[in-house]
Amino acid sequence: MRNILSVEKIEKYYGSKGNVTKAIDNISFKVDEGEFLGIMGPSGSGKTTLLNCISTIDNVTTGKIMINNSDITRLNSKALDKFRQNKLGFIFQDFNLLDTLTAYENIALALTIKNMQFSEIDKKIKAVAEHLEIGQVMNKYPCQMSGGEKQRVACGRAIVTDPSLVLADEPTGSLDSKSARLLLSKFESLNKELNTTILMVTHDSFTASYAHRILFIKDGRIFSELIRGKDTRKEFFNKIIEVISLLGGDDNNVF
Ligand code: ADP
Ligand code: MG
């Protein structure tokens, strides 16, 4: 398996003298191409900070983050823009779609900044829409869509550029359970059929059970890892719940 992401001894401090928060405290891990990795942890454990450092929205205080063998903590701003446009797909908890654009236009935006021909853009959007079952909302504006539809459109926007790595921060956080299941089954099929590498942050055990490996973080450190192996999703879910209760969470599937 080809290594796609390598996080090497990163630390992240917020604030300055007298009022410093250590959000990430020496985290290292690797992700191979085609992996579906979950990152779990209670609120405030550093999940979003970690994802923001990998996505280059934020920068680390110390350490290296290698993506496709290039250290992204050392890129200049032009190289960073190019990297974000070409290599990464983001999915946020609250969708982040542009309200004045239709679903189609929201997805197209990710491609128009790449100087692609209209016919090619159209072809790509239609393929993604079919895969995510959002063809019927392509002409709707975000305010006319359900939460689940919006999140699948956001997912379409993230993957239409064929990114090396898809980063999702609590992607099911605003969804009801039926929409969450549908979105997660789409993640599963993207991962399986298109070999898309997915890094998904969540505090929810059900959501995490779709991943193939889970890193648990607490107070900015990795404290445990679970690998799904041949387990069914249900068996994996039970193991996740076990780890969480061992580590002081409640049974309510949230830390
Ligand atoms: P999670 O996503 O796991 O809930 P975060 O990564 O958002 O956790 O936060 C980790 C820690 O860093 C928390 O203690 C939080 O208060 C702190 N933190 C996050 N962002 C900032 C910021 N911009 N300035 C100061 N502290 C921050
Ligand atoms: Mg967060």
Side-chain angles (χ1 to χ4, degrees):
M1 277 280 192
R2 202 171 68 87
N3 174 258
I4 193 164
L5 167 70
S6 177
V7 172
E8 300 176 13
K9 296 187 180 162
I10 64 165
E11 295 186 332
K12 172 70 185 178
Y13 296 89
Y14 285 114
S16 52
K17 274 189 185 142
N19 187 22
V20 175
T21 307
K22 198 174 195 178
I24 297 183
D25 183 7
N26 194 11
I27 283 187
S28 301
F29 64 93
K30 287 180 190 297
V31 180
D32 282 339
E33 190 171 36
E35 269 204 274
F36 185 173
L37 179 72
I39 295 182
M40 289 197 82
S43 179
S45 58
K47 304 183 296 296
T48 295
T49 304
L50 177 61
L51 214 62
N52 286 350
C53 289
I54 296 170
S55 68
T56 70
I57 289 172
D58 208 339
N59 51 332
V60 298
T61 307
T62 60
K64 280 204 283 192
I65 299 179
M66 311 289 292
I67 298 186
N68 287 334
N69 297 320
S70 133
D71 184 357
I72 56 157
T73 62
R74 290 177 200 280
L75 297 179
N76 63 31
S77 61
K78 205 170 155 203
L80 273 180
D81 283 345
K82 208 166 149 219
F83 166 78
R84 289 191 199 116
Q85 274 173 32
N86 294 320
K87 303 281 185 217
L88 289 185
F90 304 96
I91 302 168
F92 302 91
Q93 173 167 1
D94 51 1
F95 324 125
N96 260 2
L97 295 174
L98 295 175
D99 292 333
T100 54
L101 300 182
T102 62
Y104 185 96
E105 292 161 346
N106 263 287
I107 299 176
L109 201 59
L111 295 173
T112 45
I113 49 176
K114 294 180 82 168
N115 269 337
M116 211 178 255
Q117 286 208 326
F118 174 75
S119 58
E120 205 184 332
I121 290 179
D122 191 56
K123 213 164 96 190
K124 276 192 153 290
I125 295 177
K126 287 193 172 133
V128 160
E130 188 182 344
H131 204 94
L132 295 169
E133 292 181 58
I134 44 173
Q136 74 290 358
V137 301
M138 280 294 107
N139 294 320
K140 289 189 174 178
Y141 291 91
C143 66
Q144 300 168 320
M145 297 179 229
S146 71
E149 287 165 350
K150 278 191 262 195
Q151 194 56 304
R152 276 179 287 139
V153 171
C155 180
R157 181 188 53 188
I159 63 161
V160 75
T161 55
D162 301 320
S164 315
L165 186 59
V166 170
L167 303 171
D169 191 1
E170 307 266 10
T172 58
S174 321
L175 302 182
D176 59 77
S177 64
K178 188 170 161 238
S179 305
R181 271 171 208 270
L182 190 56
L183 180 78
L184 289 163
S185 71
K186 294 301 169 196
F187 276 14
E188 241 177 4
S189 74
L190 288 172
N191 173 254
K192 214 184 265 170
E193 287 156 31
L194 306 181
N195 203 35
T196 306
T197 311
I198 302 175
L199 208 165
M200 177 177 75
V201 157
T202 183
H203 67 270
D204 176 69
S205 306
F206 175 77
T207 299
S209 70
Y210 280 77
H212 299 151
R213 174 163 72 106
I214 297 175
L215 298 176
F216 293 85
I217 69 171
K218 196 172 185 180
D219 302 327
R221 289 174 159 266
I222 295 178
F223 64 76
S224 190
E225 180 182 41
L226 265 188
I227 295 171
R228 178 151 149 197
K230 293 199 180 335
D231 283 356
T232 63
R233 204 180 50 66
K234 183 81 180 88
E235 287 162 347
F236 197 42
F237 174 77
N238 289 334
K239 286 188 182 161
I240 295 168
I241 297 275
E242 244 169 65
V243 172
I244 291 172
S245 58
L246 268 178
L247 291 150
D250 62 31
D251 299 334
N252 207 6
N253 117 31
V254 177
F255 279 83

